[in-house]
Amino acid sequence: GRAISVNFYLVSVLALAGVALIFTVQNVAAVDVNFLVWTISMSRALLIVFTLSIGFLLGWFLHIYYSYRRASRKSESERRN
């Protein structure tokens, strides 16, 4: 039971780390990013991770916002009844 789940966890983490390492090695080329008047040069892998992080954060904030709105509307309708 427990030994199998620990081994599965270890293998999963090592596999994910291997995929991340391969991704990083294959995407080391520098790219220029232009935003308004700024130009930033960074590795392609870093750009993808940065963009993915912004997407996750934006999705998380929108989820929190809409959950709060839904909860406040629900409590408001319960107070009316």
Side-chain angles (χ1 to χ4, degrees):
R2 182 165 169 86
I4 292 173
S5 70
V6 170
N7 286 338
F8 178 74
Y9 177 75
L10 180 63
V11 169
S12 299
V13 167
L14 289 175
L16 188 58
V19 168
L21 180 67
I22 292 169
F23 173 79
T24 303
V25 168
Q26 289 183 343
N27 289 290
V28 293
V31 293
D32 289 333
V33 179
N34 299 314
F35 181 71
L36 299 176
V37 296
W38 299 284
T39 300
I40 301 170
S41 182
M42 64 176 68
S43 75
R44 187 180 303 139
L46 185 61
L47 176 63
I48 292 170
V49 169
F50 182 67
T51 305
L52 184 64
S53 300
I54 289 173
F56 278 134
L57 285 173
L58 184 60
W60 183 69
F61 283 129
L62 286 174
H63 170 74
I64 296 297
Y65 172 72
Y66 284 119
S67 295
Y68 174 76
R69 277 187 53 189
R70 188 176 330 131
S72 65
R73 284 182 179 171
K74 184 177 180 183
S75 66
E76 184 179 309
S77 68
E78 288 174 355
R79 277 185 271 157
R80 290 181 183 170
N81 295 330

